Amino acid sequence: MKKMTLTTKIFIGLISGIILGLILYPMREVPFVSNYIIGFFLKLGGSVFINAIKMMVVPLVFISLTVGSSAMGDIRKLGRIGAKTLGFYLFTTAVAIVIALTLANIINPGAGLSADSIEKTTKTIKTSKPFVDVLIDIIPSNPIASMAKGNMLQIIAFALLTGAGLTILGDKVSKVKDMFNQANDLVLEMVNLIMKVAPFGVFCLIAKTFSSLGYTAMVPLLKYMLTVIGALFIHGLFTYQGLLVATVKMNPLTFLKKFLPAISVAFSTSSSGATLPVTLETVQEQFGVSKTVSSFTIPLGATINMDGTAIMQGVAVVFIAAVYGVDLTMGDYVAVILTATLASIGTAGVPGVGLIMLSMVLTQVGLPIEGIALIMGVDRILDMTRTAVNITGDAVCTLIIAKSEGEELNISSKKKIELV
């Protein structure tokens, strides 16, 4: 038998947790069940896992963003191509979050769930901050204090500044760069180690939730899944294909037909990095994009273009806010858009990092991280669709940049044999 993937294990943990929770639901008032099975075993396993995720948020965000931004020296080499590519990815990520927030507010997938049944969490009611203060607060007066408090926008700003400084100094700080790269490897390995116990953590979290809520949690979870899928569909069909038609004058059906092999690989592997060779080959051979453009835009997209993850984060924020009865202000929505957009630069292609980034966004708007207990297992099911949307965005960006650079693309339904 093939070794089970992490996704399979988490899915098994999710289903097992739901079954155990529904079995325990009628017995939830029995002292042994309440005090020991739910109150000790399930609470211990779920809480330890949540704390482990919280532990990794600040170091992962700071180190990975510093490494990512310090590697942007390639943008200076490629000049306008790099600037246009980065601008495209950040723009579409922001659009993706806006779509997600809008659709989630219309559907309100969190309606019907009570936070009291999930986790007793003390939450403070925040007053709305003026938009100008939200912008001012992006720049930290004390970056160390920002890290201690978990102020994510300030951490992101300091990380990007650090990375920019490393890029400018170049070889003078090569040892510092090596240190950050090694620290990044270390942090990602720590995330991998934590995710090895994710199936058990999901099992405990979901079992505890369903032991308190019973069948009432199923409808909101289904609504959450459909909301995420709907937002992904809207973004992939209207945003990406609309930009493609407006700039490249390409038929969306032709694009999808040619790009389907790469989409299939992304859907099955749930990894933009694993799909990278297929994506590169497809845009070069099927669409005739030069290697000069595609070898820059596609790898960069696999690193920073995380529109699907951003959509998940946007829907999850609205979902969790509804569950905990927190009314999000316009300042909160702006903070979500800014945080998730900038954080997409540092979202590494390893299992579990999307959840770390979600924890970061929740922290930024003052929502309890415990809220991911409900969506964590289901999120693994949605991961395949998210990845397919991500690599579609990479390809669309590549075609648009190539067109803007004067390259002759193959936009017909026939395959182009020679590369530009």
Side-chain angles (χ1 to χ4, degrees):
M1 292 181 61
K2 292 183 179 179
K3 186 178 179 181
M4 283 193 297
T5 63
L6 179 64
T7 301
T8 303
K9 292 178 180 177
I10 289 180
F11 183 71
I12 292 174
L14 170 70
I15 299 300
S16 302
I18 292 175
I19 293 173
L20 178 61
L22 294 177
I23 292 174
L24 294 177
Y25 179 68
M27 302 182 289
R28 65 190 184 281
E29 301 297 336
V30 177
F32 178 79
V33 173
S34 176
N35 296 331
Y36 294 100
I37 297 181
I38 299 175
F40 180 79
F41 177 74
L42 296 180
K43 182 177 181 180
L44 177 65
S47 298
V48 167
F49 180 62
I50 289 291
N51 285 345
I53 291 179
K54 290 180 180 179
M55 176 178 64
M56 298 309 302
V57 172
V58 170
L60 177 65
V61 171
F62 176 67
I63 294 173
S64 62
L65 274 176
T66 299
V67 170
S69 56
S70 68
M72 295 298 177
D74 290 337
I75 292 182
R76 300 178 66 181
K77 223 180 289 183
L78 291 176
R80 63 183 183 275
I81 296 178
K84 286 187 286 189
T85 303
L86 186 60
F88 177 92
Y89 287 143
L90 294 180
F91 168 74
T92 57
T93 300
V95 171
I97 303 168
V98 172
I99 291 173
L101 291 174
T102 303
L103 194 61
N105 275 286
I106 294 172
I107 297 176
N108 192 15
L113 281 183
S114 170
D116 294 334
S117 300
I118 300 174
E119 187 72 35
K120 297 293 183 182
T121 305
T122 302
K123 56 181 183 288
T124 56
I125 304 300
K126 303 183 303 175
T127 57
S128 178
K129 295 176 63 175
F131 179 63
V132 65
D133 289 341
V134 174
L135 297 179
I136 292 172
D137 287 344
I138 293 176
I139 307 301
S141 58
N142 185 339
I144 305 302
S146 300
M147 293 181 188
K149 295 177 182 177
N151 191 319
M152 290 304 152
L153 279 178
Q154 295 183 355
I155 293 172
I156 290 173
F158 184 62
L160 293 176
L161 182 62
T162 304
L166 292 173
T167 300
I168 294 171
L169 292 174
D171 293 337
K172 293 181 181 178
V173 289
S174 59
K175 292 183 178 179
V176 179
K177 283 186 177 180
D178 291 340
M179 181 188 71
F180 271 103
N181 285 323
Q182 292 170 2
N184 191 49
D185 293 338
L186 173 61
V187 170
L188 292 179
E189 184 58 33
M190 292 171 70
V191 172
N192 282 330
L193 290 174
I194 292 173
M195 292 309 296
K196 289 183 184 300
V197 301
F200 180 72
V202 169
F203 170 78
C204 292
L205 291 167
I206 293 296
K208 185 174 184 295
T209 298
F210 276 82
S211 67
S212 302
L213 298 177
Y215 293 95
T216 58
M218 290 187 173
V219 173
L221 273 176
L222 181 60
K223 287 172 64 179
Y224 167 78
M225 292 179 63
L226 293 177
T227 304
V228 173
I229 292 173
L232 290 170
F233 178 80
I234 292 171
H235 190 59
L237 187 62
F238 293 98
T239 305
Y240 287 151
Q241 302 309 316
L243 289 170
L244 197 62
V245 171
T247 56
V248 184
K249 312 298 183 185
M250 186 174 189
N251 188 323
L253 293 178
T254 300
F255 169 82
L256 293 173
K257 179 182 177 181
K258 289 187 173 188
F259 198 61
L260 188 59
I263 293 176
S264 300
V265 174
F267 191 81
S268 59
T269 62
S270 300
S271 171
S272 298
T275 316
L276 186 58
V278 181
T279 308
L280 268 173
E281 182 182 16
T282 303
V283 297
Q284 290 172 6
E285 294 190 1
Q286 294 290 341
F287 300 107
V289 179
S290 69
K291 291 183 179 180
T292 302
V293 172
S294 59
S295 62
F296 176 76
T297 57
I298 297 297
L300 182 62
T303 304
I304 72 170
N305 183 38
M306 299 294 171
D307 289 6
T309 302
I311 284 173
M312 176 273 290
Q313 292 170 349
V315 176
V317 165
V318 176
F319 177 81
I320 293 171
V323 169
Y324 283 88
V326 176
D327 293 326
L328 297 175
T329 65
M330 184 56 65
D332 290 329
Y333 287 124
V334 171
V336 169
I337 294 170
L338 289 174
T339 306
T341 301
L342 294 175
S344 66
I345 298 174
T347 303
V350 298
V353 174
L355 292 173
I356 301 289
M357 292 300 171
L358 173 58
S359 303
M360 177 196 68
V361 176
L362 294 176
T363 300
Q364 179 61 38
V365 294
L367 291 173
I369 295 179
E370 288 80 5
I372 69 172
L374 277 174
I375 66 173
M376 185 172 184
V378 178
D379 181 67
R380 297 300 298 175
I381 303 173
L382 300 171
D383 196 21
M384 297 182 292
T385 310
R386 281 208 312 262
T387 307
V389 170
N390 288 342
I391 65 133
T392 301
D394 298 344
V396 170
C397 173
T398 300
L399 292 174
I400 292 175
I401 299 301
K403 182 70 173 180
S404 70
E405 290 297 309
E407 293 189 5
E408 183 181 350
L409 301 177
N410 179 26
I411 61 174
S412 69
S413 57
K414 297 180 180 179
K415 179 180 176 180
K416 187 168 184 175
I417 303 298
E418 296 181 1
L419 298 181
V420 174

